[in-house]
């Protein structure tokens, strides 16, 4: 219990970092909104106040003022004049006034940031026709262009290095007085105030570690935060992979690079968890048979791993999430991301079991299944098998998807070769591995599913989501920006283009449906696309990867999009779902020592984030 508490506090202590990484003014805006929430003296009723509450919650949900999926700046829903009134009647001592700044100057600054549509319009720009660095509003680069960033890392990268560090993972790149330099995120460097808090809690966690392997991993993570050295992070990642016995586990660090269009900089995230021993038997069976799946993959033989190394797999129950993982959480994780560590030391694959179950339960009452299923038989099969299908898809995506295949000797890492398209193509590759094997009798033989109806439900659901349902997350006229959404549409559109007699889009009563006629042949199409995407990754074929993403993953059919939005509007459901963290409360003895830890389950999203801002805000407000 102490270990869970210490790791959870370490997770929450870093939450300011994700806000600042996402956008340089996020802390300034968030603290202004929170000051209004706490000390506004005016009337807290009416449509404008309700719009202000919704906007503030969306900022918490997205860890900033840009949408967490589309990357577009969130529209406030209330006027600049109303904002001025809110600030005017808020206790000035609670506002994040910078040195010498007046309330009027703060108001003007916040108004411009929120209401100027041309200012910092996208957190991550994925438009290959523009400048991916200069046109992105995140706080990873300052004063630089895409060409300058590419040149900087081209000099640093050594293609002959078999164990390259993850250049740029823990730093901001700036250009100052004509010189390019990195501001390292470490104790004594950038974000030091927050990282010191993270380290302090990790040091407490070391004292109650379950075993020597877990202790070693935590000590190396602390050393990484203290030194900022990426080789130390590699050593930590290896030690973390090798700890397969601990029941409690933690992901903590600068991990995923989706928020950087260049694919270098890692967003802070943390996931604290406990192993689910019963569900882990399912996912572990997949890991134990990873070589069987690799040997029979439809990819070219030279792209297969001759020996799949060290895959450990488990299902976890999440206890606490922070940073890039919260409030909108992943449902599966496979780490570390360094290809050479995965190839030589192995990887950990986890399915977030309680998160998946929560999504499944929520989906049963949404009405989406009935609205987009073509037949009642499809509805019945989905109700029976969708939960198992999703579990197996997530398991295989993480365990044998991300861990499969190999890059040809002398070919750079995907962020070097595939650049902005690397994340989308990697997610597509992992999804395709899972889809290919969802219709394989090997899963029945292993006792993982009772029959191929589970695979059919998976195929129905994937194509419906990729072509139709996920469009509810976009405003009409938008392109798809987020890597996972691009991946799903890429796969669905590519196979449908080749699916004559196999699958089709069918109209009934003015509504569009996905109808699959031949699941076995559809499996073959998934295999063909998997072979090509693995070739692209293995050979570093940028032009082919770009063509796949741009031709199939980005543009949306406007008529179908309009139809989907109209159909979903009638269901009155939210486009996204997120989570409220449990609350861990230490019970102390007379000397202040922790005797026990109790857990509570808050229900108020607003109260939780206001409490976090009081207890876990460690970075100063930047100009």
């Amino acid at each position: 219990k102490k270990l869970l508490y210490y790791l959870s506090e370490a997770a929450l202590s870093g939450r300011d970092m994700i806000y600042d990484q996402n956008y340089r003014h996020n802390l300034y805006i968030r603290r202004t909104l929170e000051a209004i929430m706490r000390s506004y003296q005016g009337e807290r009723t009416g449509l404008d106040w309700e719009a202000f509450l919704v906007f503030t919650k969306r900022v918490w949900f997205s860890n900033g003022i840009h949408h967490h999926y589309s990357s577009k700046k969130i529209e406030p829903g209330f006027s600049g004049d109303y904002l001025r009134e809110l600030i005017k009647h808020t206790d000035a001592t609670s506002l994040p006034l910078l040195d010498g700044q007046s309330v009027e100057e703060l108001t003007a600054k916040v108004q411009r940031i929120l209401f100027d549509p041309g200012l910092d319009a996208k957190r991550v720009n994925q438009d290959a026709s523009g400048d991916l660095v200069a046109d992105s509003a995140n706080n990873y680069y300052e004063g630089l262009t895409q060409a300058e960033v590419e040149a900087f890392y081209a000099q640093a990268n050594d293609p002959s290095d078999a164990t390259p560090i993850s250049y740029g993972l823990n730093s901001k790149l700036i250009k100052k007085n004509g010189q390019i330099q990195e501001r390292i995120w470490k104790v004594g460097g950038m974000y030091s105030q927050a990282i010191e808090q993270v380290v302090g809690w990790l040091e407490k966690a070391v004292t109650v570690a379950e075993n020597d392997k877990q202790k070693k991993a935590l000590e190396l993570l602390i050393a990484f935060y203290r030194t900022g050295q990426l080789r130390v992070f590699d050593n930590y990642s290896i030690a973390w992979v090798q700890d397969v016995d601990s029941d409690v586990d933690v992901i903590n660090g600068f991990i995923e690079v989706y928020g950087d269009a260049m694919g270098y900089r890692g967003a802070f995230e943390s996931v604290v968890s406990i192993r689910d021993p019963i569900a882990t038997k399912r996912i572990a069976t997949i890991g134990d048979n990873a070589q069987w799946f690799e040997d029979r993959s439809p990819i070219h033989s030279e792209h297969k791993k001759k020996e799949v190394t060290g895959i450990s797999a488990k299902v976890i129950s999440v206890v606490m999430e922070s940073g890039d993982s919260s409030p909108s959480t992943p449902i599966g994780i496979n780490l570390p991301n360094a290809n050479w560590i995965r190839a030589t030391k192995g990887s950990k694959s986890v399915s977030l079991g309680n998160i998946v179950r929560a999504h499944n339960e929520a989906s049963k009452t949404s009405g989406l299944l009935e609205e987009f299923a073509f037949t009642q038989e499809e509805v019945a099969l989905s109700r029976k098998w969708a939960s198992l299908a999703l579990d197996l898809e997530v398991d295989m995506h993480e365990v044998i998807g991300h861990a499969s295949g190999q890059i040809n000797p002398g070919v750079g890492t995907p962020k070097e070769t595939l650049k902005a398209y690397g994340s989308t193509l990697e997610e597509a590759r992992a999804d395709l591995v899972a889809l290919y094997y969802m219709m394989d009798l090997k899963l029945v033989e292993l006792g993982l599913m009772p029959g191929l109806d589970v695979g059919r439900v998976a195929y129905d659901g994937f194509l419906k989501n990729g072509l139709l349902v996920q469009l509810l997350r976009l405003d009409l006229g938008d392109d798809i920006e987020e890597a996972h959404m691009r991946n799903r549409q890429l796969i669905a559109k590519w196979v449908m283009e080749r699916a004559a007699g196999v699958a089709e889009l069918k109209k009934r009563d003015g509504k569009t449906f996905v109808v699959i006629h031949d699941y076995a042949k559809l499996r073959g199409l998934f295999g063909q696309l998997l072979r090509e995407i693995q070739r692209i990754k293995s050979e570093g074929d940028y032009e082919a990867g770009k063509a796949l993403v741009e031709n199939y993953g980005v543009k949306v059919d406007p008529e179908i999009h309009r139809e989907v939005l109209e159909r979903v509007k009638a269901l009155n459901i939210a486009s996204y779902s997120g989570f409220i963290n449990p609350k861990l409360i230490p019970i102390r003895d007379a000397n202040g020592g922790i005797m026990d830890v109790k857990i509570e389950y808050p229900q108020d999203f607003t109260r939780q984030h206001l409490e976090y801002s009081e207890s876990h805000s460690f970075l100063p407000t930047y100009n």
Side-chain angles (χ1 to χ4, degrees), residues 199-212:
V199 166
W201 290 108
L202 290 176
E203 288 175 336
K204 292 179 184 293
V206 167
T207 67
V208 291
E210 291 184 61
N211 51 56
D212 288 341

Side-chain angles (χ1 to χ4, degrees), residues 123-172:
R123 177 172 60 89
V124 185
N125 173 54
Q126 299 279 7
D127 185 352
S129 66
D131 188 303
L132 302 188
V133 171
D135 295 342
S136 294
N138 58 43
N139 200 25
Y140 291 136
Y141 303 96
E142 188 174 313
L144 288 150
T145 65
Q146 178 181 345
E148 289 174 319
V149 173
E150 290 175 341
F152 180 84
Y153 286 111
Q155 293 179 342
N157 291 325
D158 179 2
S160 66
D161 186 357
T163 62
I165 61 173
S166 300
Y167 289 101
L169 188 70
N170 66 328
S171 67
K172 176 179 179 178

Side-chain angles (χ1 to χ4, degrees), residues 360-415:
N360 283 334
E361 290 301 312
S363 68
K364 290 178 181 178
T365 58
S366 70
L368 283 173
L369 172 59
E370 291 79 3
E371 176 61 36
F372 287 93
F374 188 64
T375 65
Q376 284 305 308
E377 179 188 11
E378 186 180 330
V379 172
L381 282 175
S382 183
R383 287 200 171 279
K384 188 174 183 179
W385 299 121
S387 293
L388 177 58
L390 179 59
D391 284 339
L392 289 173
E393 282 183 272
V394 173
D395 291 351
M396 290 193 290
H397 174 107
E398 302 297 344
V399 179
I400 59 172
H402 286 308
S404 67
Q406 63 182 0
I407 297 174
N408 291 355
V411 175
T413 63
K415 69 182 177 184

Side-chain angles (χ1 to χ4, degrees), residues 77-302:
F78 52 89
S79 69
D81 288 340
Y82 183 70
L83 177 65
R84 178 178 294 277
E85 287 300 306
L86 291 176
I87 296 175
K88 180 180 178 181
H89 293 95
T90 293
D91 182 2
T93 61
S94 69
L95 293 168
L97 295 170
L98 304 172
D99 290 343
Q101 187 182 44
S102 68
V103 173
E104 290 74 21
E105 289 170 329
L106 176 146
T107 302
K109 184 179 181 69
V110 174
Q111 282 181 317
R112 180 166 181 262
I113 292 170
L114 296 188
F115 293 96
D116 183 346
L119 177 65
D120 299 326
K122 277 191 177 179
R123 177 172 60 89
V124 185
N125 173 54
Q126 299 279 7
D127 185 352
S129 66
D131 188 303
L132 302 188
V133 171
D135 295 342
S136 294
N138 58 43
N139 200 25
Y140 291 136
Y141 303 96
E142 188 174 313
L144 288 150
T145 65
Q146 178 181 345
E148 289 174 319
V149 173
E150 290 175 341
F152 180 84
Y153 286 111
Q155 293 179 342
N157 291 325
D158 179 2
S160 66
D161 186 357
T163 62
I165 61 173
S166 300
Y167 289 101
L169 188 70
N170 66 328
S171 67
K172 176 179 179 178
L173 198 65
I174 66 173
K175 187 175 182 181
K176 190 173 182 180
N177 299 323
Q179 299 295 315
I180 298 177
Q181 54 189 270
E182 290 183 299
R183 295 185 63 196
I184 307 297
W185 305 328
K186 65 172 185 173
V187 172
M190 189 174 176
Y191 298 149
S192 182
Q193 301 95 323
I195 294 174
E196 289 168 27
Q197 295 291 326
V198 174
V199 166
W201 290 108
L202 290 176
E203 288 175 336
K204 292 179 184 293
V206 167
T207 67
V208 291
E210 291 184 61
N211 51 56
D212 288 341
K213 286 184 177 180
Q214 187 181 69
K215 181 179 179 181
K216 178 183 177 181
L218 290 172
E219 287 174 338
L220 284 167
L221 179 58
I222 291 167
F224 165 66
Y225 276 132
R226 289 196 175 280
T227 66
Q229 295 178 7
L230 287 167
R231 187 59 70 192
V232 176
F233 183 73
D234 287 342
N235 294 335
Y236 154 70
S237 298
I238 293 169
W240 177 77
V241 164
Q242 292 173 341
D243 175 20
V244 297
D245 299 321
S246 298
D247 289 322
V248 172
D249 205 352
V250 64
I251 294 164
N252 187 299
F254 308 111
I255 309 294
E256 302 293 356
V257 298
Y258 300 111
D260 177 10
M262 301 299 294
Y264 283 96
R265 314 202 118 66
F268 173 80
E269 72 171 297
S270 187
V271 177
V272 182
S273 64
I274 304 174
R275 185 198 310 267
D276 180 334
I278 297 175
T280 290
K281 292 180 181 179
R282 181 192 71 238
I283 194 172
T285 299
I286 295 171
D288 292 343
N289 288 273
Q291 192 68 59
W292 187 95
F293 291 111
E294 183 77 353
D295 291 344
R296 289 156 181 81
S297 172
I299 65 177
H300 296 294
S301 58
E302 62 267 29

Side-chain angles (χ1 to χ4, degrees), residues 262-546:
M262 301 299 294
Y264 283 96
R265 314 202 118 66
F268 173 80
E269 72 171 297
S270 187
V271 177
V272 182
S273 64
I274 304 174
R275 185 198 310 267
D276 180 334
I278 297 175
T280 290
K281 292 180 181 179
R282 181 192 71 238
I283 194 172
T285 299
I286 295 171
D288 292 343
N289 288 273
Q291 192 68 59
W292 187 95
F293 291 111
E294 183 77 353
D295 291 344
R296 289 156 181 81
S297 172
I299 65 177
H300 296 294
S301 58
E302 62 267 29
H303 299 154
K304 295 180 183 180
K305 287 181 177 176
K306 303 302 181 286
E307 183 177 350
V308 178
T309 305
I311 295 177
S312 66
K314 61 184 177 181
V315 177
I316 61 173
S317 289
V318 175
V319 177
M320 186 68 65
E321 293 182 316
S322 180
D324 198 37
S325 295
S326 177
S328 179
T329 167
I331 58 176
I333 298 172
N334 179 276
L335 292 172
N337 287 326
N339 282 289
W340 71 268
I341 296 179
R342 300 160 70 84
T344 61
K345 306 297 182 181
S347 62
K348 272 186 186 178
S349 296
V350 296
S351 174
L352 283 59
N354 55 340
I355 302 297
V356 174
R357 285 194 298 275
H359 280 302
N360 283 334
E361 290 301 312
S363 68
K364 290 178 181 178
T365 58
S366 70
L368 283 173
L369 172 59
E370 291 79 3
E371 176 61 36
F372 287 93
F374 188 64
T375 65
Q376 284 305 308
E377 179 188 11
E378 186 180 330
V379 172
L381 282 175
S382 183
R383 287 200 171 279
K384 188 174 183 179
W385 299 121
S387 293
L388 177 58
L390 179 59
D391 284 339
L392 289 173
E393 282 183 272
V394 173
D395 291 351
M396 290 193 290
H397 174 107
E398 302 297 344
V399 179
I400 59 172
H402 286 308
S404 67
Q406 63 182 0
I407 297 174
N408 291 355
V411 175
T413 63
K415 69 182 177 184
E416 297 162 358
T417 58
L418 305 180
K419 302 179 182 179
Y421 302 106
S423 294
T424 295
L425 292 168
E426 176 59 22
E427 292 304 321
R429 195 180 68 89
D431 264 353
L432 285 162
V433 171
L435 288 166
Y436 183 76
Y437 285 112
M438 280 302 302
M439 285 294 292
D440 198 304
L441 287 171
K442 181 68 172 180
L443 299 185
V444 180
E445 176 190 322
L446 293 172
L448 296 174
M449 65 185 192
L452 293 183
D453 276 351
V454 181
R456 295 185 182 97
V457 168
Y459 281 18
D460 288 336
F462 191 91
L463 290 190
K464 280 189 298 186
N465 192 26
L467 295 169
L468 301 173
V469 178
Q470 73 169 1
L471 300 183
L472 67 88
R473 295 181 164 186
L474 300 176
D475 292 332
L476 190 62
D478 283 355
D479 290 342
I480 299 178
E481 301 284 352
E482 200 275 334
H484 297 80
M485 288 182 68
R486 284 185 166 190
N487 137 53
R488 289 189 285 266
Q489 179 173 281
L490 185 162
I491 293 172
K493 289 186 73 172
W494 189 94
V495 298
M496 289 298 286
E497 189 177 274
R498 294 156 177 79
V502 176
E504 65 175 316
L505 289 177
K506 201 165 187 175
K507 286 279 190 179
R508 185 179 66 197
D509 300 328
K511 296 180 178 181
T512 305
F513 298 88
V514 177
V515 179
I516 300 174
H517 302 294
D518 192 322
Y519 292 88
K521 288 183 178 179
L522 181 57
R523 183 194 186 204
L525 290 173
F526 287 140
Q528 290 176 33
L529 182 56
L530 171 59
R531 183 185 302 115
E532 172 60 7
I533 290 182
Q534 181 63 59
R535 183 199 67 78
I536 288 169
K537 179 179 179 180
S538 296
E539 298 177 2
D541 189 342
Y542 173 79
E543 291 300 329
K546 175 183 177 181

